[in-house]
């Protein structure tokens, strides 16, 4: 089984966001950036599934500017096998991202696509859903627990009323909640190795 | 908000809050602090909290020592826990130069009373079982060292200040500052405050704050990162077993610090290539700011850390902090009065601000309340820099200072960045003659000359190195023939006007030269009677004096003059530093040389020692002053700078068959030590009275009132604790005294060496040092530590080379 995980580079959650003086956006120059936090959960879950023997390959993919590759490298450092960086300058919104992901899915043929439930910079919460629509795949959003079965997943979702458990057939899209797991930290040797990897 | 206060402190990082605390503690309760955001929201909040006592400088060392003691007592005083973990600190060495550095430093530590121990690799392993020690040769340990929680420390100091009446205004920004009659008006976005004194403690905003009052403060921050790992099972196990923390570990040769943090480890490397940041200041909104991490830059140090402590690579990285850390070109902070402005104080450029805040606040409070600091502050003196510190210079130099944090601090080190910058006209000529240069106050000065096939390159060491032989040749040539030294970097000025004599007479402790053309060596004391500055003063005319002092202290000395000068127009000050060059000829053949290049009379009858004459050299006008710092017949030739090469060429042509050869600063140091000549910053300091420094013949307490006289008289009544002596150090083989070496008698420390060198004219290793007065007798045997090895030493007569100055008077 192959898992594709989409990751996004965002301003670090600790940073106090500042608006540019001309009001055209937020300041990102030399501001600390990191992986969108629930995307870390998505990677972690994929790695766990692979560790349990149920997956054979994890591909991390990001859509963004040159430096977004750091997010892919971070995913490689914690256990992704391969990375894909679709280079895009400037701001890109969920519809475009989901269309790009669709193309990658068609090329890579993964059984599962994981990503964070939403990005903390724009809080759109749309990419996973749109991708499911483009692919006409089942989706399980806000996952806080995932059980992998033969041809399906059992997913516990965080919804307003509490928890809901659903079953989806694979291939499927899953967007991950922060409660899904405790993402591991990469060790320095792995971080440094991932930095040198070409992909 | 108050509209009036005695002092306004700008900036609420640990440094500003400590200054506020110390003012309040000194009894000034009417003091306020203004912070644009929250306390600690600048650089303080993300500091790693280490308190390194290690510092090669005598003054900075004392500030750090005071701070550590203060921080230990704060909880008891304020009821606030500052999270001080006294876990000790170990610095590793894997080569001999590094061990020499630690031994030299141990001397500083012993003379200021800081506890240090040397450890073998096995002892390191005992304390730090996770450390790989096979390739080490030793280590130095500070048992009293550790780390603290910077934000908690700041809050405790704030509590201590508030308890004594000080007020802190947060979310208030200082926008402008204007001088008024008695002090300053500080304008903020919430109103104005009138005050007597302002202290600038604005961290990364130093240059912006300086600009408000027209000061170019030489501070630009550099990025610094540290890595925090998740817990490691081994460390957690140690904790469970109740074992102590392993303490702070510094691998100087791999350039990082490491300590435990919540069961994991912190690693902070000082890498090459860390960029300057906030070059034009942080943004107006900046608070709690972190930059993008860059681990690539740290790669060699991370590898070094994993080699040293494999456990560090075995667990995941929780977080990487990359923040701004203020720097100055030499890496030390800037603490003291601003130049040219009354009652404006600078406490900026702190790269180890958590450590230095305590001592800096303490000395500034002394300085502001009592008028003088109590310890020698030259190492952090704001006026040690000049207006050569352009923004681009700072950027380059501060990045260099950052990457040099862990280099071996050789005593003869000359840092390469941003050079050459200021050059005398004869620079190229000197270079062609083999000069290897050093830099002082931005000026390039020949340190020594590589001749006879020697590589034109410096060779730094704590011991005698390649240049030792070169300096020997230079010294011998000065003794036997005649040498030429470029001293263009001297600070020079003219004081004139109807009030000049009266003013200078009040400024210095010696009598002024009476006759036109006479020269006296004069010392300006501070108000507590310590030695502040040394001037060679020549009377140019009835109402005009020419003053020469050390190049490194141009701004300090001139600011001292300026600060005391009457402002009624009766005295004028003219800085001549950049318009006059100085070439020094010295040696027994100096007279013959001068007679060959000049038609003026250089005979002993008509050109006496300690006098000056306006003469021609070749076609150039020269003020020839018969003084020098090496103890031979000779003249300092002060000239309008544009004639320098003309004079230089005339001298070199005429001197060829007299054996005229250039010499450098290192030879000068050897020669001056043999004459027991003193230097400001080592033998002369505000911590010593002129009598302790052996300046008796230059002090005239009965001449009438002068600055520092009353204090000096009281000091004398109380009795002195030190006496400067000249010592012969026996059985030296490859190293001489460098300064700050402890001096022992019967196993206890009885003094410290201030300087030393090998004296080639005497064929002896010589040291100058301060010892207890009762031991300051010729023939007294003492012991002196050179790089960890004890040497016998004997006190000599002052000026062991030509004690009667016969050569100078010849
Ligand atoms: C990653 C990192 C690790 C470090 N580790 C250590 C360590 O282990 N040990 C150590 O000793 N040092 C360490 N340092 C250095 C230490 O953080 C600094 O030296 C110290 O915090 C400087 O304190 P400060 O008060 O001078 O500056 P800051 O803390 O920056 O305070 C200056 C304050 O002035 C305020 N201000 C500026 N302009 C104005 C204005 N116009 N009006 C009102 N307020 C104003 C700012 O808002 C700011 O709060 C570290 C630094 C970094 C970046």
């Amino acid at each position: 089984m192959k898992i594709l995980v989409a990751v996004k580079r965002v301003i670090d959650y600790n940073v106090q966001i500042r608006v540019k003086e001309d009001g055209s956006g937020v300041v990102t120059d030399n501001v600390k950036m990191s992986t969108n936090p629930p995307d870390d959960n998505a990677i972690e879950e994929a790695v766990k599934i692979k560790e349990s023997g149920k997956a054979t390959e994890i591909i991390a993919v990001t859509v963004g500017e040159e430096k977004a590759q750091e997010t892919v490298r971070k995913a490689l450092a914690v256990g992704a096998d391969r990375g894909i960086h679709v280079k895009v300058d400037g701001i890109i919104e969920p519809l475009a991202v989901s269309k790009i992901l669709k193309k990658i899915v068609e090329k890579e043929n993964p059984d599962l696509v994981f990503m964070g439930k939403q990005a903390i910079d724009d809080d759109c919460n749309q990419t996973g859903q749109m991708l499911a629509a483009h692919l006409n795949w089942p989706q399980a959003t806000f996952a806080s627990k995932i059980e992998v079965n033969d041809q399906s997943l059992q997913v516990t979702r965080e919804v307003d009323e509490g928890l809901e458990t659903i079953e989806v057939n694979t291939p499927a899209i899953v967007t991950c909640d922060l409660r899904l797991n405790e993402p591991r930290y990469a060790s320095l040797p792995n971080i440094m190795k991932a930095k040198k990897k070409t992909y | 908000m108050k509209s009036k206060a005695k002092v306004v402190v700008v900036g609420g990082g640990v440094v500003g809050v400590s200054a506020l605390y110390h003012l309040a503690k000194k009894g000034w309760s009417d003091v306020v602090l203004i912070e644009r955001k929250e306390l600690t929201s600048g650089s303080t909040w993300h500091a790693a909290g280490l308190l390194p006592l290690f510092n090669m400088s005598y003054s900075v060392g004392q500030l750090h020592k005071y701070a550590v003691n203060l921080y230990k007592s704060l909880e008891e005083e304020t009821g606030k826990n500052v999270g001080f973990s006294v876990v000790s600190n170990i610095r590793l060495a894997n080569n001999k130069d590094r061990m020499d550095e630690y031994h030299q430093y141990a001397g500083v530590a012993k003379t200021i009373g800081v506890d240090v121990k040397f450890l073998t690799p096995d002892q390191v392993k005992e304390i730090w079982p996770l450390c790989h020690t096979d390739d080490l040769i030793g280590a130095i340990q500070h048992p009293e060292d550790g780390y603290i929680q910077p934000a908690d420390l700041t809050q405790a100091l704030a509590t201590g200040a508030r308890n004594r009446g000080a007020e802190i205004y947060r979310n208030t920004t200082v926008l402008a500052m204007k001088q008024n009659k008695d002090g300053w008006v500080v304008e903020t976005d919430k109103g104005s405050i009138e005050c007597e004194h302002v202290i600038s403690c604005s961290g990364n905003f130093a240059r912006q704050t300086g600009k408000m009052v027209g000061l170019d403060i030489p501070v630009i921050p550099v990025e610094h990162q540290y890595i925090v790992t998740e817990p490691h099972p081994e460390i957690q196990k140690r904790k469970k077993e109740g074992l102590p923390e392993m303490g702070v570990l510094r691998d100087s040769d791999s350039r990082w610090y490491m300590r435990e943090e919540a069961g994991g480890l912190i690693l902070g490397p000082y890498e090459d290539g860390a960029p300057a940041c906030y070059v034009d200041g942080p943004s107006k909104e900046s608070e709690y700011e972190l930059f993008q991490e860059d681990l690539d830059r740290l790669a060699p140090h991370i590898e070094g850390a994993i080699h040293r402590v494999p456990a560090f690579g075995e667990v995941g990285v929780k977080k990487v902090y990359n923040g701004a850390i203020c720097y100055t070109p030499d890496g030390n902070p800037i603490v003291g009065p601003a130049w040219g402005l009354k009652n404006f104080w600078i406490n900026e450029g702190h790269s180890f601000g958590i450590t230095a805040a305590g001592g800096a606040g303490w000395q500034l409070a002394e300085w502001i309340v009592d008028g003088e600091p109590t310890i020698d502050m030259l190492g952090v003196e704001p006026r040690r820099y000049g207006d050569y510190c352009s923004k681009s210079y700072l950027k380059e130099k501060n990045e260099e200072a950052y990457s040099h944090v862990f280099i071996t601090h050789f005593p003869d080190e000359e840092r390469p960045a941003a050079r050459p910058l200021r050059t005398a006209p004869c620079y190229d000529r000197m270079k062609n003659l083999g000069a290897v240069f050093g830099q002082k106050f931005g000026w390039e000065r020949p340190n020594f000359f590589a001749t006879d096939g020697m590589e034109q390159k410096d060779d730094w060491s704590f011991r005698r190195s390649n240049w030792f032989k070169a300096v020997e040749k230079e010294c011998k040539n000065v003794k036997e023939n005649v040498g030429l030294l470029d001293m263009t970097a001297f600070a020079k000025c003219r004081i004139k006007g109807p009030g000049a004599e009266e003013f200078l007479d009040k400024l210095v402790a010696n009598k002024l030269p009476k006759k036109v053309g006479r020269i006296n060596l004069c010392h300006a004391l501070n108000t507590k009677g310590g030695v502040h500055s040394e001037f060679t003063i020549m009377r140019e005319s009835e109402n005009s004096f020419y003053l020469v002092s050390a190049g490194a202290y141009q701004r300090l000395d001139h600011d001292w003059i300026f600060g005391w000068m009457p402002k009624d127009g009766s005295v004028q000050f003219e800085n001549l530093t950049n318009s006059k060059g100085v070439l020094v000829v010295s040696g027994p053949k100096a007279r013959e040389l001068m007679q060959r290049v000049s038609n003026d009379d250089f005979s002993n009858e008509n050109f006496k020692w300690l006098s000056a004459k306006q003469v021609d050299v070749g076609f150039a006008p020269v003020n020839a002053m018969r003084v020098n710092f090496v103890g031979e017949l000779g003249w300092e030739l002060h000239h309008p700078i544009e004639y320098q090469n003309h004079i230089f060429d005339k001298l070199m042509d005429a001197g060829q068959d007299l054996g005229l050869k250039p010499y450098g600063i290192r030879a000068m140091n050897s020669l001056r030590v043999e004459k027991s000549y003193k230097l400001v910053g080592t033998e002369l300091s505000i911590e010593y009275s002129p009598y302790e420094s052996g300046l008796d013949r230059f002090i005239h307490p009965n001449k009438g009132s002068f600055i520092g006289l009353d204090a000096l008289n009281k000091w004398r009544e109380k009795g002195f604790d030190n006496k400067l002596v000249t010592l012969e150090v026996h059985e030296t083989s490859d190293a001489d005294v460098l300064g700050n070496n402890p001096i022992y008698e019967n196993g206890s420390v009885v003094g410290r060496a201030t300087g030393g060198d090998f004296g080639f004219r005497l064929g002896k290793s010589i040291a100058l040092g301060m010892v207890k007065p009762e031991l300051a007798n010729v023939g007294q045997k003492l012991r002196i530590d050179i790089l960890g090895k004890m040497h016998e030493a004997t006190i000599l007569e002052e000026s062991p080379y030509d004690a009667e100055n016969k050569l100078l008077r010849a």
Side-chain angles (χ1 to χ4, degrees), chain A residues 29-68:
Chain A
D29 267 3
N30 206 19
V31 166
K32 185 175 169 66
M33 309 288 274
S34 39
T35 302
N36 180 42
D39 298 358
D40 282 333
N41 300 86
I43 289 280
E44 176 65 28
E45 197 63 17
V47 174
K48 273 182 155 166
I49 294 169
K50 191 184 163 197
E51 281 170 349
S52 73
K54 290 181 183 153
T56 48
E57 191 182 21
I58 302 167
I59 304 164
V61 53
T62 193
V63 180
E65 56 186 18
E66 180 68 34
K67 285 196 179 143

Side-chain angles (χ1 to χ4, degrees), chain B residues 770-788:
Chain B
M770 286 290 182
V771 298
K772 293 190 173 160
E774 60 272 22
L775 295 171
N777 307 310
V778 173
Q780 170 77 46
K781 298 255 187 262
L782 297 166
R783 286 161 76 81
I784 190 160
D785 178 334
I786 301 180
L787 304 177

Side-chain angles (χ1 to χ4, degrees), chain B residues 155-460:
Chain B
Q155 293 301 343
L157 289 166
T159 302
R162 287 191 184 108
N163 288 346
R164 295 180 169 88
E167 291 184 13
I168 294 177
Y169 306 122
R170 291 170 299 137
N171 299 305
T172 307
T173 305
V174 172
L175 301 171
M177 290 175 276
K178 298 204 175 78
Q179 249 169 324
N180 72 1
K181 207 165 89 268
D182 303 311
W184 293 88
V185 181
V186 176
E187 291 170 12
T188 79
D189 55 348
K190 307 232 169 108
S192 306
I193 306 184
E194 261 182 76
C195 60
E196 286 172 29
H197 299 265
V198 172
I199 313 181
S200 176
C201 309
S202 55
N204 300 316
F205 290 84
R207 290 177 70 71
Q208 284 61 45
T209 315
K211 234 171 248 158
M212 295 180 197
V213 297
L215 286 177
D216 208 346
I217 299 179
V219 171
I220 289 182
V222 178
E223 288 184 13
H224 174 59
Q225 311 178 72
Y226 64 85
I227 299 168
V228 188
T229 75
E230 60 187 341
H232 190 285
E234 281 294 320
I235 299 174
Q236 284 177 313
K237 202 175 116 215
R238 284 180 60 90
K239 285 191 138 178
K240 251 189 223 127
E241 289 169 4
L243 291 169
E245 259 190 53
M246 293 177 290
V248 183
L249 188 71
R250 286 186 168 82
D251 190 336
S252 307
D253 300 300
S254 179
R255 294 161 57 183
W256 46 257
Y257 57 79
M258 186 183 280
R259 69 167 169 89
E260 288 183 30
E261 168 79 7
L265 293 166
I266 280 184
L267 176 83
Y270 282 87
E271 76 280 21
D272 289 335
C277 56
Y278 295 144
V279 175
D280 294 306
S283 110
K284 268 198 231 119
E285 277 79 50
S286 170
E287 62 177 320
Y288 300 108
E289 197 159 21
L290 288 177
F291 306 133
Q292 181 63 44
E293 67 221 42
D294 181 356
L295 292 177
D296 288 340
R297 247 172 29 218
L298 308 183
H301 311 285
I302 290 172
E303 276 165 33
I306 293 174
H307 162 77
R308 185 64 60 216
V309 181
F312 176 68
E314 292 163 5
V315 281
V317 172
K318 231 161 75 176
K319 199 164 170 140
V320 180
Y321 287 84
N322 182 9
I325 196 163
C326 281
Y327 266 86
T328 64
D330 64 10
N332 280 332
I334 295 179
V335 184
W339 52 97
L341 292 175
K342 203 172 155 220
N343 293 352
F344 193 90
W345 304 82
I346 305 177
N347 195 2
E348 301 279 10
H350 285 276
S351 58
F352 287 96
I354 312 305
T355 322
W362 164 51
Q363 281 303 309
L364 263 186
E366 295 289 322
W367 215 329
I368 294 170
V369 176
D370 290 345
E372 305 283 357
T374 57
I375 64 170
D376 171 13
M377 297 284 279
L378 282 177
V380 296
E381 178 42 79
R383 295 162 291 188
R384 73 187 185 278
Y385 294 112
D387 48 19
Y388 57 90
C389 291
S390 64
K391 192 162 86 181
S392 41
Y393 173 86
L394 290 175
K395 196 172 157 301
E396 184 109 352
K397 277 310 242 193
N398 295 5
E399 287 175 358
E400 177 187 58
Y402 174 86
S403 72
H404 274 48
V405 164
F406 273 113
I407 61 143
T408 309
H409 300 282
F410 291 111
D412 49 355
E413 181 202 11
E414 294 284 354
R415 298 185 179 182
R419 291 175 57 193
L421 183 64
R422 305 173 82 190
T423 52
C426 68
Y427 172 81
D428 290 324
R429 284 166 165 75
M430 288 295 202
K431 197 169 177 183
N432 287 335
L433 290 168
V436 176
F437 292 89
Q439 196 188 39
K440 260 275 145 57
F441 211 70
W443 288 100
E444 292 294 321
R445 305 187 306 178
N447 272 339
F448 71 95
F449 290 81
T451 53
D452 303 332
M454 187 181 166
E455 201 184 345
Q456 197 167 353
K457 197 176 143 231
D458 216 339
D459 179 23
W460 305 325

